[in-house]
Amino acid sequence: MPQPSTVFRVGCRLGLLLGNPYGILRSAPLWVDKKEAPMVHHPTGTILDAIGQTPLLEIQPGIWAKCEFLNPSGSIKARMALYLINRAEAEGLLRPGDTIVEATSGNTGNAMAMVAAVKGYKMLVLLPEGFTQERTTISKAFGAEVRHVGHFQVNDAMAEAKRLGQQPGYYCPQQFDNDWNVEENRTWLGPEILKQLPASVKLDALCQGVGTGGTLIGVAQALRAHHNHQLLAYAVEPTESQTLALGQVADHQIEGIADGFVPGLYARYAHEVNGTVAIASAEAVAAMRQLATTHGLFVGPSSGANLLAAQRLRRQGCANVLTFLCDEGEKYIMKYHAPGHVV
């Protein structure tokens, strides 16, 4: 039986990244089992052009999940990183030769390191100790310098990023406090979801783990303006560290959310959020594993937490709930999947 060519296999993988439900990159020429294939004319552009257009799946009845883990750099943060850096360039805040510095629990650091590599900037990632080693390794692979500041909570790293951002030659996007973060989700991710959602479906609620709050708030604004003005929006946080609901701060296993403080963005828009949903770390990890073994979705613990929150909202009467699969499982190999390292 003829085997698909390399171009076909690469096209399938890139097609999945671009959100084509058939897994085919539409602009790539494909052929099978030809002894002398014609010259391939590769699309122009960069990997940044592949950000977005991720699939929207109804993974369970009434639960709609946006597969943001398929973005380049492996998470939903690719959108925000590109948007913030583009806006900073347009406003003259970021110039050739500058160093981008940002505090992160990992995914934003990975995403900004990727964008910086493509655009030719230096990147300094400030990351607390206590997160998966893969997060550090990925940023370094993109050429970034990584400094560990503090333990697990991002407060100290954020203070240092702001301090450095005021120095000549540095720019700090301040993801936790930058309204461009909300703007990106309102003008890019939200409308993209509405284009993919079947016309017969009315979303009743949205739930999302809060790192910065930008996704939850921005997407909710878009959906309320153009889809359902009564949409309910819920913030997801760990049971062990209910910072938003109770002011609790503690270590937990749902990396990327509940970073030890109430983000400035969330504080400003908290009146637009209808409530919080607390999910235990162990349950989020179990749901993460189930997403892989029953749906083929290799994702991280925050995706498991989001799924459980969506299920809870469904049980409470919301017919259709939107949530997000935020980052890829490859960022958690050693912690959860490698022999001898399973938590």
Side-chain angles (χ1 to χ4, degrees), residues 60 285-297 307-308 311:
Q60 293 176 5
V285 171
M288 169 196 78
R289 296 186 188 282
Q290 186 180 35
L291 280 166
T293 58
T294 64
H295 297 282
L297 297 166
L307 173 62
L308 293 175
Q311 291 173 342

Side-chain angles (χ1 to χ4, degrees), residues 2 5 40 58 89 98 114 140 152 183 187 190 224 240 271 282 293 323 343:
S5 69
V40 179
E58 188 179 23
E89 289 175 328
D98 283 352
M114 174 189 68
K140 288 183 175 179
F152 200 77
E183 184 178 281
T187 62
R224 284 168 175 160
E240 303 90 333
H271 62 281
T293 58
T323 194
V343 174

Side-chain angles (χ1 to χ4, degrees), residues 309-331:
Q311 291 173 342
R312 190 176 302 176
L313 292 174
R314 281 267 298 159
R315 291 194 296 271
Q316 293 174 356
C318 295
N320 286 285
V321 181
L322 171 69
T323 194
F324 300 87
L325 306 181
C326 296
D327 64 0
E328 63 185 6
E330 286 87 344
K331 299 191 181 193

Side-chain angles (χ1 to χ4, degrees), residues 41-89:
H41 298 284
H42 296 287
T44 58
T46 71
I47 190 63
L48 304 183
D49 298 324
I51 297 173
Q53 294 302 319
T54 57
L56 177 66
L57 306 179
E58 188 179 23
I59 56 174
Q60 293 176 5
I63 295 179
W64 300 84
K66 192 82 161 98
C67 296
E68 289 295 285
F69 70 98
L70 292 174
N71 279 305
S73 81
S75 83
I76 194 170
K77 297 298 187 180
R79 296 176 185 264
M80 184 259 289
L82 179 61
Y83 195 89
L84 264 58
I85 290 172
N86 282 348
R87 286 298 303 268
E89 289 175 328

Side-chain angles (χ1 to χ4, degrees), residues 81-330:
L82 179 61
Y83 195 89
L84 264 58
I85 290 172
N86 282 348
R87 286 298 303 268
E89 289 175 328
E91 296 293 331
L93 301 174
L94 181 59
R95 300 175 179 85
D98 283 352
T99 297
I100 302 168
V101 57
E102 185 60 287
T104 176
S105 56
N107 282 329
T108 297
N110 296 162
M112 287 192 174
M114 174 189 68
V115 176
V118 173
K119 288 178 169 284
Y121 296 108
K122 290 171 284 186
M123 181 73 207
L124 173 57
V125 174
L126 303 182
L127 174 71
E129 298 279 3
F131 292 94
T132 61
Q133 180 59 41
E134 289 89 341
R135 288 161 133 73
T136 296
T137 302
I138 291 169
S139 287
K140 288 183 175 179
F142 285 126
E145 177 186 355
V146 178
R147 295 181 192 170
H148 290 103
V149 181
H151 173 76
F152 200 77
Q153 314 304 337
V154 183
N155 309 56
D156 292 342
M158 183 171 62
E160 177 64 5
K162 288 181 179 179
R163 186 190 70 81
L164 286 173
Q166 296 173 352
Q167 308 300 313
Y170 286 88
Y171 173 69
C172 178
Q174 298 191 47
Q175 60 162 330
F176 296 99
D177 202 48
N178 193 331
D179 273 297
W180 290 343
N181 185 344
V182 173
E183 184 178 281
E184 175 269 305
N185 287 281
R186 183 178 63 248
T187 62
W188 184 3
L189 180 54
E192 183 177 304
I193 291 167
L194 289 177
K195 289 180 181 178
Q196 295 174 316
L197 191 69
S200 60
V201 174
K202 181 181 180 180
L203 295 172
D204 302 294
L206 157 68
C207 62
Q208 165 68 347
V210 170
T212 67
T215 300
L216 175 67
I217 294 160
V219 172
Q221 289 177 352
L223 297 183
R224 284 168 175 160
H226 304 290
H227 177 67
N228 177 9
H229 71 277
Q230 295 182 324
L231 180 95
L232 302 174
Y234 290 91
V236 180
E237 57 181 350
T239 301
E240 303 90 333
S241 186
Q242 295 183 61
T243 310
L244 304 177
L246 303 176
Q248 298 174 342
V249 175
D251 291 2
H252 55 86
Q253 300 299 319
I254 311 177
E255 297 186 25
I257 68 174
D259 288 325
F261 57 94
V262 178
L265 274 182
Y266 186 89
R268 288 200 297 279
Y269 293 97
H271 62 281
E272 299 182 15
V273 180
N274 296 95
T276 62
V277 180
I279 301 295
S281 290
E283 294 177 358
V285 171
M288 169 196 78
R289 296 186 188 282
Q290 186 180 35
L291 280 166
T293 58
T294 64
H295 297 282
L297 297 166
F298 191 36
V299 292
S302 66
S303 299
N306 281 347
L307 173 62
L308 293 175
Q311 291 173 342
R312 190 176 302 176
L313 292 174
R314 281 267 298 159
R315 291 194 296 271
Q316 293 174 356
C318 295
N320 286 285
V321 181
L322 171 69
T323 194
F324 300 87
L325 306 181
C326 296
D327 64 0
E328 63 185 6
E330 286 87 344

